[in-house]
Amino acid sequence: MSTPPSEGETRSQVLRLLGEIAPEADTTSLRPDVSFRDQLDLDSMDFLNFVVALHKEFHIEIPEADYPKYMTLNGCLIQLSAARS
Amino acid sequence: MAEFLMPTLGADMTDGTLVQWKKKEGDRIAKGESIAEVDTEKAVIDVESHTTGIIERLITRPGDKIPVGTVMAIIREEGRPTARVASSRSVTAPPAPPPPAQRTESGAAAPSQAGRLRMSPAARKLAAERGIDASTLQGTGPEGAITLEDIERATTTPADIAKPVGAADRQARMRQTIAAAMARSKRDIPHYYLSTTIDMDRAITWLKDTNERRPVTERLLYSVLLIKAVALALRRVPELNALWKDGEAGRSERIHIGTAISLRQGGLVAPALHDADRLSLSELMQNFQDLVKRARAGSLRSSELSDPTITVTSLGEQGVETVFGVIYPPQVALVGFGKVVERPWVADGLVVPRPVLMASLSADHRVTDGHRGGLFLAEIDRLLQEPQSL
């Protein structure tokens, strides 16, 4: 068994995926509890691409009904840590 | 022999700058394959060949600023249905000598013949006011004449358009291109506007059920349903799927939906989703995702920019409920969708909360009237009530 990645690592992975979707956005000053859409001007196509990227990176299933849980950085970290345990 | 011409890649494009050839003389090229990269006001575009054959001659050179319609290359065609046609053509109709491309090498050479510059009085006046040396400009008017717009462009951007441009510069030029197209639209096209509210309950419920069964990589966005509904409704009211040319509207056999995509740096493009009426929702979704990605990366294909037959704009993402758009010439109609909102709705005599959507039509009154336009919106509504058959 490999050691599970730390929250810091997961966080930087998520930020990298966001950066790939919105290359011009400054993800370093992202507020963790405010929705990505409001901060990064993501539209529904961007958000779908982000969810697909999370699915591919972390090998998790994300039903459409759960999308709202992934709309903030903190939300993503909570979901990803729950999926791992 | 076929001539490869500088295509029109947008309503107000007058010329483009050849960035590079993707093929050499003697190379084989297939129809639809990229032959050149052309820099327009909006982006660098991969321009596709309309014919299959061997490249006989490359006439224009990288860095050349080339007016729309100028012969850029000669292609010896292959795979003509009969050899006789091909040979008789090449014997009886040798290609006319191509007009020389305009060149902007140093910016110092006057664009027209020696002597007085071709220039409108208004442009001359503005140039004097702004202290611009018009002899350094590349005229975009008839026979290289310098127009008012050229002077305006020169005051905000460098005169030498063949130079590579930065993002800010491109943004300023894109703004000007949009301004020119929209001003022309409002000047020439007598718009009429219609709108209707559509009950989206069935469409959204169907979409939710469908997406629940699909892996995340194959899910649909509701805008794809709207695009498909527009495409199918156009079969019923085909006169809205037309292009205005030489004083009349020519109906288009194929339905290419221009999709307004906002670019993050500002500005927008409306490239085509080709044959949207014939694609399944999944295919449309795939093409739409690809198109948005490439639009934002600045790698659109020439055909996508030059051949939309109608435009759809959705501003729902920005939270607005209604949009009445400006028609993109030479198209004759534009469909606008707002945001899906919950509103009280009367169904079977009861007031119930329903997700509703405002759909609008801006159409050219020279081509259609409100009766046909109304029929078209009603057809979109009807189609969205049967999402499973889209």
Side-chain angles (χ1 to χ4, degrees):
Chain A
M1 288 288 282
S2 59
T3 359
S6 70
E7 186 175 304
E9 281 172 53
T10 310
R11 186 190 160 88
S12 52
Q13 270 171 295
V14 172
L15 291 180
R16 178 172 55 76
L17 298 178
L18 271 179
E20 282 166 13
I21 286 158
E24 67 301 317
D26 177 17
T27 51
T28 52
S29 58
L30 197 72
R31 288 160 60 197
D33 50 356
V34 177
S35 87
F36 298 133
R37 280 190 187 215
D38 292 343
Q39 295 183 85
L40 304 176
D41 195 21
L42 300 190
D43 59 19
S44 47
M45 175 79 79
D46 296 322
F47 188 73
L48 177 61
N49 289 337
F50 174 62
V51 173
V52 169
L54 285 177
H55 160 77
K56 289 185 175 161
E57 180 88 9
F58 298 100
H59 311 287
I60 49 168
E61 288 305 325
I62 306 176
E64 198 179 52
D66 285 352
Y67 283 4
K69 297 177 184 167
Y70 290 86
M71 290 204 177
T72 66
L73 181 58
N74 278 349
C76 287
L77 296 178
I78 291 168
Q79 291 303 311
L80 290 170
S81 110
R84 237 182 245 117
S85 53
Chain B
M1 294 288 175
E3 294 174 336
F4 172 71
L5 310 177
M6 172 61 80
T8 313
L9 303 169
D12 255 64
M13 175 172 163
T14 51
D15 49 56
T17 301
L18 175 62
V19 177
Q20 62 162 323
W21 287 111
K22 304 293 267 300
K23 296 278 173 185
K24 299 188 301 294
E25 287 181 356
D27 280 359
R28 218 182 155 273
I29 186 146
K31 185 179 173 184
E33 204 180 346
S34 169
I35 179 168
E37 266 179 26
V38 168
D39 194 349
T40 70
E41 313 268 296
K42 290 198 166 189
V44 176
I45 308 295
D46 256 337
V47 181
E48 300 143 286
S49 171
H50 292 297
T51 27
T52 295
I54 305 289
I55 305 213
E56 184 93 359
R57 259 176 76 202
L58 298 178
I59 295 160
T60 53
R61 284 187 280 159
D64 283 356
K65 188 177 165 214
I66 304 154
V68 165
T70 304
V71 181
M72 295 174 68
I74 305 286
I75 299 170
R76 191 167 66 230
E77 286 172 283
E78 262 181 9
R80 310 275 312 178
T82 59
R84 194 181 52 81
V85 175
S87 63
S88 72
R89 267 197 163 197
S90 59
V91 171
T92 56
Q102 293 175 357
R103 192 173 294 273
T104 47
E105 271 167 350
S106 63
S112 66
Q113 303 84 340
R116 203 170 151 84
L117 281 170
R118 282 178 188 280
M119 202 171 169
S120 70
R124 203 174 288 279
K125 182 165 171 280
L126 189 68
E129 276 171 17
R130 301 204 177 161
I132 292 166
D133 178 3
S135 68
T136 62
L137 298 182
Q138 182 76 29
T140 60
E143 297 175 49
I146 294 168
T147 64
L148 200 57
E149 280 166 10
D150 292 330
I151 304 290
E152 275 170 355
R153 201 171 296 141
T155 49
T156 47
T157 61
D160 189 354
I161 297 181
K163 275 185 193 154
V165 291
D169 196 16
R170 187 179 293 288
Q171 201 182 332
R173 287 218 238 138
M174 181 184 283
R175 203 62 256 160
Q176 286 168 341
T177 308
I178 295 170
M182 295 298 99
R184 180 176 142 204
S185 172
K186 280 283 179 168
R187 189 179 59 230
D188 296 347
I189 303 177
H191 287 61
Y192 70 87
Y193 306 95
L194 306 173
S195 79
T196 191
T197 304
I198 298 175
D199 176 3
M200 290 292 284
D201 192 44
R202 285 186 197 169
I204 285 176
T205 306
W206 178 85
L207 188 66
K208 216 166 139 186
D209 291 348
T210 305
N211 281 345
E212 213 159 82
R213 291 193 301 270
R214 291 181 176 218
V216 66
T217 46
E218 288 168 30
R219 287 181 199 153
L220 305 172
L221 291 173
Y222 82 88
S223 33
V224 172
L225 269 62
L226 302 179
I227 291 168
K228 185 73 187 280
V230 168
L232 293 178
L234 283 170
R235 286 185 178 170
R236 185 90 194 276
V237 189
E239 59 266 47
L240 289 170
N241 190 56
L243 299 175
W244 183 268
K245 203 184 163 201
D246 302 330
E248 59 180 351
R251 280 190 204 179
S252 170
E253 289 297 312
R254 294 167 66 187
I255 295 175
H256 302 320
I257 309 265
T259 319
I261 299 170
S262 63
L263 304 178
R264 292 181 199 286
Q265 303 80 8
L268 81 162
V269 287
L273 281 168
H274 291 140
D275 299 310
D277 58 324
R278 290 193 237 151
L279 298 181
S280 71
L281 289 173
S282 297
E283 290 167 325
L284 255 185
M285 178 68 197
Q286 238 170 20
N287 294 1
F288 187 35
Q289 263 174 312
D290 176 54
L291 198 66
V292 172
K293 200 166 131 197
R294 286 187 296 105
R296 292 195 170 144
S299 60
L300 291 167
R301 300 184 189 117
S302 53
S303 59
E304 290 164 343
L305 282 172
S306 58
D307 65 8
T309 53
I310 189 169
T311 296
V312 170
T313 182
S314 301
L315 282 184
E317 300 270 354
Q318 279 70 44
V320 296
E321 291 182 26
T322 318
V323 47
F324 290 106
V326 180
I327 299 167
Y328 197 71
Q331 297 163 35
V332 302
L334 178 142
V335 183
F337 292 109
K339 185 186 183 180
V340 175
V341 285
E342 276 229 329
R343 289 283 179 267
W345 189 259
V346 180
D348 304 324
L350 290 174
V351 180
V352 288
R354 279 281 167 84
V356 298
L357 171 74
M358 189 82 94
S360 75
L361 171 72
S362 310
D364 186 335
H365 223 325
R366 296 172 299 183
V367 183
T368 58
D369 45 43
H371 176 72
R372 297 294 288 171
L375 211 66
F376 173 69
L377 285 183
E379 180 67 5
I380 293 177
D381 187 346
R382 193 190 65 74
L383 288 159
L384 286 170
Q385 302 314 314
E386 297 169 3
Q388 68 286 349
S389 22
L390 281 175

